[in-house]
Short mmCIF file of all heavy atoms in Angstrom, two decimals:
data_model
loop_
_atom_site.label_atom_id
_atom_site.label_comp_id
_atom_site.label_asym_id
_atom_site.label_seq_id
_atom_site.Cartn_x
_atom_site.Cartn_y
_atom_site.Cartn_z
N GLU M 6 122.94 81.82 85.68
CA GLU M 6 123.01 81.48 84.26
C GLU M 6 122.86 79.97 84.06
O GLU M 6 122.23 79.53 83.10
CB GLU M 6 124.33 81.97 83.67
CG GLU M 6 124.47 83.47 83.65
CD GLU M 6 123.35 84.15 82.89
OE1 GLU M 6 122.92 83.60 81.85
OE2 GLU M 6 122.89 85.22 83.33
N ARG M 7 123.44 79.20 84.95
CA ARG M 7 123.33 77.74 84.82
C ARG M 7 121.91 77.27 85.11
O ARG M 7 121.44 76.29 84.53
CB ARG M 7 124.31 77.08 85.79
CG ARG M 7 124.42 75.61 85.58
CD ARG M 7 125.54 75.03 86.37
NE ARG M 7 125.58 73.59 86.17
CZ ARG M 7 126.16 72.76 87.00
NH1 ARG M 7 126.77 73.22 88.06
NH2 ARG M 7 126.15 71.48 86.77
N LEU M 8 121.19 77.98 85.99
CA LEU M 8 119.80 77.60 86.28
C LEU M 8 118.90 77.83 85.08
O LEU M 8 117.91 77.13 84.89
CB LEU M 8 119.28 78.42 87.47
CG LEU M 8 119.82 78.05 88.84
CD1 LEU M 8 119.26 79.01 89.88
CD2 LEU M 8 119.44 76.63 89.20
N ARG M 9 119.21 78.83 84.26
CA ARG M 9 118.35 79.17 83.14
C ARG M 9 118.69 78.41 81.86
O ARG M 9 118.08 78.64 80.83
CB ARG M 9 118.46 80.66 82.85
CG ARG M 9 117.90 81.51 83.96
CD ARG M 9 117.70 82.93 83.50
NE ARG M 9 117.37 83.76 84.64
CZ ARG M 9 118.26 84.50 85.28
NH1 ARG M 9 119.51 84.52 84.92
NH2 ARG M 9 117.89 85.23 86.31
N GLU M 10 119.66 77.50 81.90
CA GLU M 10 120.08 76.81 80.69
C GLU M 10 118.96 75.98 80.06
O GLU M 10 118.80 75.98 78.85
CB GLU M 10 121.28 75.91 80.99
CG GLU M 10 122.58 76.65 81.13
CD GLU M 10 123.72 75.73 81.48
OE1 GLU M 10 123.48 74.51 81.62
OE2 GLU M 10 124.85 76.22 81.60
N GLY M 11 118.20 75.25 80.86
CA GLY M 11 117.18 74.36 80.31
C GLY M 11 115.80 74.97 80.19
O GLY M 11 114.83 74.23 80.02
N PHE M 12 115.70 76.30 80.24
CA PHE M 12 114.37 76.93 80.24
C PHE M 12 113.63 76.66 78.93
O PHE M 12 112.50 76.19 78.94
CB PHE M 12 114.52 78.44 80.47
CG PHE M 12 113.21 79.17 80.43
CD1 PHE M 12 112.35 79.14 81.50
CD2 PHE M 12 112.84 79.89 79.30
CE1 PHE M 12 111.14 79.80 81.46
CE2 PHE M 12 111.64 80.55 79.26
CZ PHE M 12 110.78 80.51 80.33
N TRP M 13 114.25 76.94 77.79
CA TRP M 13 113.57 76.79 76.51
C TRP M 13 113.37 75.34 76.16
O TRP M 13 112.41 74.99 75.47
CB TRP M 13 114.35 77.51 75.41
CG TRP M 13 114.37 78.99 75.62
CD1 TRP M 13 115.43 79.74 76.02
CD2 TRP M 13 113.26 79.89 75.50
NE1 TRP M 13 115.05 81.06 76.15
CE2 TRP M 13 113.72 81.18 75.83
CE3 TRP M 13 111.92 79.73 75.16
CZ2 TRP M 13 112.91 82.30 75.82
CZ3 TRP M 13 111.10 80.85 75.14
CH2 TRP M 13 111.59 82.11 75.47
N ARG M 14 114.25 74.46 76.63
CA ARG M 14 114.10 73.04 76.35
C ARG M 14 112.89 72.46 77.09
O ARG M 14 112.19 71.59 76.58
CB ARG M 14 115.39 72.32 76.75
CG ARG M 14 115.39 70.85 76.37
CD ARG M 14 116.68 70.15 76.79
NE ARG M 14 116.77 70.12 78.24
CZ ARG M 14 117.82 70.56 78.93
NH1 ARG M 14 118.85 71.08 78.31
NH2 ARG M 14 117.84 70.49 80.24
N ASN M 15 112.63 72.95 78.32
CA ASN M 15 111.53 72.42 79.13
C ASN M 15 110.24 73.21 78.97
O ASN M 15 109.23 72.84 79.57
CB ASN M 15 111.93 72.42 80.60
CG ASN M 15 113.10 71.49 80.86
OD1 ASN M 15 113.24 70.47 80.22
ND2 ASN M 15 113.96 71.87 81.79
N LEU M 16 110.25 74.28 78.18
CA LEU M 16 109.07 75.12 78.04
C LEU M 16 107.86 74.38 77.45
O LEU M 16 106.74 74.55 77.95
CB LEU M 16 109.40 76.36 77.21
CG LEU M 16 108.28 77.38 77.07
CD1 LEU M 16 107.91 77.94 78.44
CD2 LEU M 16 108.67 78.50 76.13
N PRO M 17 107.99 73.55 76.39
CA PRO M 17 106.79 72.87 75.87
C PRO M 17 106.10 71.98 76.91
O PRO M 17 104.87 72.00 77.03
CB PRO M 17 107.34 72.03 74.71
CG PRO M 17 108.58 72.72 74.29
CD PRO M 17 109.16 73.30 75.55
N LEU M 18 106.88 71.20 77.66
CA LEU M 18 106.28 70.35 78.70
C LEU M 18 105.62 71.20 79.78
O LEU M 18 104.52 70.87 80.26
CB LEU M 18 107.35 69.44 79.30
CG LEU M 18 106.87 68.53 80.43
CD1 LEU M 18 105.82 67.55 79.92
CD2 LEU M 18 108.04 67.80 81.05
N ALA M 19 106.26 72.30 80.16
CA ALA M 19 105.68 73.19 81.17
C ALA M 19 104.37 73.79 80.68
O ALA M 19 103.40 73.92 81.46
CB ALA M 19 106.67 74.29 81.54
N LEU M 20 104.29 74.16 79.40
CA LEU M 20 103.04 74.71 78.86
C LEU M 20 101.93 73.67 78.84
O LEU M 20 100.77 73.99 79.12
CB LEU M 20 103.29 75.27 77.45
CG LEU M 20 104.12 76.55 77.39
CD1 LEU M 20 104.37 76.94 75.94
CD2 LEU M 20 103.44 77.67 78.14
N VAL M 21 102.27 72.43 78.52
CA VAL M 21 101.26 71.36 78.52
C VAL M 21 100.72 71.13 79.93
O VAL M 21 99.51 71.07 80.16
CB VAL M 21 101.84 70.05 77.93
CG1 VAL M 21 100.90 68.88 78.17
CG2 VAL M 21 102.11 70.22 76.45
N VAL M 22 101.63 71.02 80.91
CA VAL M 22 101.21 70.80 82.30
C VAL M 22 100.40 72.01 82.80
O VAL M 22 99.36 71.85 83.46
CB VAL M 22 102.43 70.53 83.20
CG1 VAL M 22 102.04 70.51 84.66
CG2 VAL M 22 103.08 69.21 82.81
N GLY M 23 100.86 73.21 82.48
CA GLY M 23 100.12 74.42 82.88
C GLY M 23 98.74 74.47 82.26
O GLY M 23 97.76 74.87 82.90
N GLY M 24 98.64 74.08 80.98
CA GLY M 24 97.33 74.07 80.31
C GLY M 24 96.38 73.07 80.95
O GLY M 24 95.18 73.35 81.11
N ILE M 25 96.89 71.90 81.34
CA ILE M 25 96.05 70.90 82.02
C ILE M 25 95.55 71.45 83.35
O ILE M 25 94.38 71.28 83.71
CB ILE M 25 96.83 69.58 82.20
CG1 ILE M 25 97.05 68.92 80.85
CG2 ILE M 25 96.10 68.63 83.14
CD1 ILE M 25 97.98 67.72 80.88
N MET M 26 96.43 72.11 84.09
CA MET M 26 96.02 72.67 85.38
C MET M 26 94.98 73.77 85.21
O MET M 26 94.01 73.85 85.98
CB MET M 26 97.25 73.18 86.14
CG MET M 26 98.18 72.07 86.59
SD MET M 26 99.66 72.67 87.38
CE MET M 26 99.00 73.34 88.88
N VAL M 27 95.15 74.63 84.20
CA VAL M 27 94.15 75.68 83.94
C VAL M 27 92.82 75.06 83.55
O VAL M 27 91.75 75.50 84.01
CB VAL M 27 94.67 76.64 82.85
CG1 VAL M 27 93.57 77.54 82.34
CG2 VAL M 27 95.82 77.47 83.39
N TRP M 28 92.85 74.01 82.72
CA TRP M 28 91.61 73.33 82.35
C TRP M 28 90.91 72.73 83.57
O TRP M 28 89.68 72.81 83.69
CB TRP M 28 91.92 72.24 81.32
CG TRP M 28 90.71 71.45 80.93
CD1 TRP M 28 89.69 71.83 80.11
CD2 TRP M 28 90.38 70.14 81.40
NE1 TRP M 28 88.76 70.83 80.02
CE2 TRP M 28 89.15 69.78 80.80
CE3 TRP M 28 91.01 69.24 82.24
CZ2 TRP M 28 88.55 68.56 81.03
CZ3 TRP M 28 90.41 68.03 82.47
CH2 TRP M 28 89.18 67.69 81.87
N GLU M 29 91.68 72.14 84.48
CA GLU M 29 91.08 71.58 85.70
C GLU M 29 90.45 72.67 86.54
O GLU M 29 89.35 72.50 87.09
CB GLU M 29 92.14 70.84 86.51
CG GLU M 29 92.58 69.53 85.90
CD GLU M 29 93.69 68.87 86.68
OE1 GLU M 29 94.25 69.52 87.60
OE2 GLU M 29 94.00 67.71 86.38
N MET M 30 91.13 73.82 86.68
CA MET M 30 90.55 74.91 87.49
C MET M 30 89.28 75.46 86.85
O MET M 30 88.30 75.76 87.55
CB MET M 30 91.59 76.02 87.68
CG MET M 30 92.69 75.65 88.64
SD MET M 30 93.78 77.01 89.03
CE MET M 30 94.88 76.96 87.65
N ILE M 31 89.27 75.59 85.54
CA ILE M 31 88.06 76.07 84.85
C ILE M 31 86.92 75.08 85.03
O ILE M 31 85.77 75.46 85.26
CB ILE M 31 88.37 76.34 83.36
CG1 ILE M 31 89.27 77.56 83.23
CG2 ILE M 31 87.09 76.53 82.56
CD1 ILE M 31 89.79 77.79 81.83
N THR M 32 87.24 73.78 84.96
CA THR M 32 86.21 72.75 85.17
C THR M 32 85.62 72.82 86.57
O THR M 32 84.40 72.75 86.74
CB THR M 32 86.82 71.36 84.93
OG1 THR M 32 87.40 71.33 83.63
CG2 THR M 32 85.77 70.28 85.03
N VAL M 33 86.48 73.00 87.56
CA VAL M 33 86.00 73.10 88.94
C VAL M 33 85.13 74.33 89.12
O VAL M 33 84.05 74.28 89.74
CB VAL M 33 87.19 73.10 89.92
CG1 VAL M 33 86.75 73.49 91.32
CG2 VAL M 33 87.85 71.73 89.95
N LEU M 34 85.57 75.47 88.59
CA LEU M 34 84.76 76.69 88.71
C LEU M 34 83.45 76.57 87.96
O LEU M 34 82.41 77.03 88.45
CB LEU M 34 85.56 77.89 88.21
CG LEU M 34 86.67 78.39 89.12
CD1 LEU M 34 87.46 79.50 88.45
CD2 LEU M 34 86.10 78.87 90.43
N ALA M 35 83.46 75.96 86.77
CA ALA M 35 82.22 75.80 86.01
C ALA M 35 81.25 74.88 86.75
O ALA M 35 80.04 75.14 86.78
CB ALA M 35 82.54 75.25 84.62
N TYR M 36 81.77 73.83 87.36
CA TYR M 36 80.89 72.94 88.13
C TYR M 36 80.30 73.66 89.33
O TYR M 36 79.14 73.47 89.66
CB TYR M 36 81.69 71.71 88.58
CG TYR M 36 80.87 70.73 89.36
CD1 TYR M 36 79.94 69.92 88.72
CD2 TYR M 36 81.01 70.62 90.75
CE1 TYR M 36 79.17 69.02 89.43
CE2 TYR M 36 80.25 69.72 91.46
CZ TYR M 36 79.33 68.93 90.81
OH TYR M 36 78.57 68.05 91.52
N ARG M 37 81.11 74.53 89.95
CA ARG M 37 80.60 75.27 91.11
C ARG M 37 79.54 76.29 90.69
O ARG M 37 78.54 76.48 91.38
CB ARG M 37 81.75 75.96 91.83
CG ARG M 37 81.31 76.76 93.03
CD ARG M 37 82.47 77.46 93.69
NE ARG M 37 81.98 78.41 94.67
CZ ARG M 37 82.00 78.22 95.98
NH1 ARG M 37 82.47 77.10 96.44
NH2 ARG M 37 81.55 79.13 96.80
N ILE M 38 79.73 76.92 89.55
CA ILE M 38 78.78 77.96 89.13
C ILE M 38 77.51 77.36 88.57
O ILE M 38 76.40 77.76 88.93
CB ILE M 38 79.47 78.89 88.09
CG1 ILE M 38 80.59 79.68 88.76
CG2 ILE M 38 78.46 79.83 87.46
CD1 ILE M 38 81.46 80.46 87.80
N TRP M 39 77.62 76.35 87.66
CA TRP M 39 76.43 75.84 86.98
C TRP M 39 75.97 74.48 87.47
O TRP M 39 74.84 74.11 87.22
CB TRP M 39 76.70 75.74 85.47
CG TRP M 39 76.89 77.09 84.85
CD1 TRP M 39 75.96 78.07 84.75
CD2 TRP M 39 78.08 77.59 84.28
NE1 TRP M 39 76.50 79.16 84.15
CE2 TRP M 39 77.81 78.90 83.84
CE3 TRP M 39 79.35 77.08 84.10
CZ2 TRP M 39 78.76 79.68 83.21
CZ3 TRP M 39 80.29 77.86 83.47
CH2 TRP M 39 80.00 79.14 83.04
N GLY M 40 76.80 73.74 88.16
CA GLY M 40 76.43 72.37 88.48
C GLY M 40 75.95 72.13 89.89
O GLY M 40 75.42 71.08 90.19
N VAL M 41 76.11 73.08 90.77
CA VAL M 41 75.78 72.85 92.17
C VAL M 41 74.81 73.93 92.62
O VAL M 41 74.94 75.10 92.25
CB VAL M 41 77.06 72.89 93.04
CG1 VAL M 41 76.74 72.63 94.50
CG2 VAL M 41 78.06 71.88 92.54
N GLY M 42 73.85 73.53 93.44
CA GLY M 42 72.93 74.51 93.99
C GLY M 42 73.54 75.23 95.18
O GLY M 42 74.75 75.33 95.33
N GLU M 43 72.70 75.70 96.05
CA GLU M 43 73.18 76.39 97.25
C GLU M 43 73.90 75.40 98.17
O GLU M 43 73.48 74.26 98.29
CB GLU M 43 72.00 77.01 98.00
CG GLU M 43 71.38 78.20 97.28
CD GLU M 43 72.34 79.37 97.22
OE1 GLU M 43 73.03 79.64 98.22
OE2 GLU M 43 72.45 79.99 96.15
N PRO M 44 74.98 75.84 98.81
CA PRO M 44 75.67 74.92 99.72
C PRO M 44 74.81 74.61 100.93
O PRO M 44 74.01 75.43 101.39
CB PRO M 44 76.93 75.71 100.12
CG PRO M 44 76.63 77.13 99.83
CD PRO M 44 75.63 77.14 98.71
N ARG M 45 74.98 73.37 101.43
CA ARG M 45 74.20 72.95 102.60
C ARG M 45 74.70 73.69 103.84
O ARG M 45 75.90 73.87 104.02
CB ARG M 45 74.35 71.46 102.83
CG ARG M 45 73.76 70.62 101.75
CD ARG M 45 73.97 69.17 102.04
NE ARG M 45 75.41 68.89 102.06
CZ ARG M 45 75.95 67.80 102.59
NH1 ARG M 45 75.20 66.90 103.15
NH2 ARG M 45 77.25 67.61 102.56
N PRO M 46 73.78 74.10 104.70
CA PRO M 46 74.24 74.72 105.95
C PRO M 46 74.88 73.67 106.85
O PRO M 46 74.47 72.51 106.89
CB PRO M 46 72.94 75.28 106.57
CG PRO M 46 71.85 74.48 105.95
CD PRO M 46 72.33 74.08 104.58
N LEU M 47 75.91 74.08 107.56
CA LEU M 47 76.61 73.16 108.44
C LEU M 47 75.82 72.95 109.73
O LEU M 47 75.20 73.89 110.23
CB LEU M 47 78.00 73.71 108.76
CG LEU M 47 78.92 73.88 107.56
CD1 LEU M 47 80.21 74.57 107.98
CD2 LEU M 47 79.20 72.55 106.92
N PRO M 48 75.84 71.76 110.27
CA PRO M 48 75.10 71.52 111.51
C PRO M 48 75.74 72.25 112.69
O PRO M 48 76.91 72.64 112.64
CB PRO M 48 75.18 70.00 111.70
CG PRO M 48 76.36 69.58 110.91
CD PRO M 48 76.48 70.55 109.78
N ALA M 49 74.98 72.43 113.73
CA ALA M 49 75.49 73.11 114.92
C ALA M 49 76.59 72.27 115.56
O ALA M 49 76.49 71.04 115.64
CB ALA M 49 74.36 73.34 115.93
N GLY M 50 77.64 72.92 115.99
CA GLY M 50 78.75 72.23 116.61
C GLY M 50 79.69 71.54 115.62
O GLY M 50 80.49 70.70 116.02
#
């Protein structure tokens, strides 16, 4: 019960940080899908 005391007080900040992280992941995936061609093959060894 003591651990859950500050849940609603910290929820707005948590939603902002979570939204920023989701935006970053979407940006990375969009860059991978539309911004980059085929990956380069790795050299031998």
Side-chain angles (χ1 to χ4, degrees):
E6 294 303 322
R7 189 170 178 201
L8 287 177
R9 293 195 189 98
E10 283 178 359
F12 178 78
W13 294 108
R14 186 180 66 233
N15 297 326
L16 184 63
L18 178 63
L20 289 176
V21 169
V22 171
I25 291 171
M26 292 176 68
V27 167
W28 177 75
E29 288 176 351
M30 288 187 277
I31 290 172
T32 305
V33 168
L34 286 175
Y36 180 74
R37 179 182 169 103
I38 293 171
W39 293 295
V41 181
E43 289 294 318
R45 294 179 297 164
L47 298 174

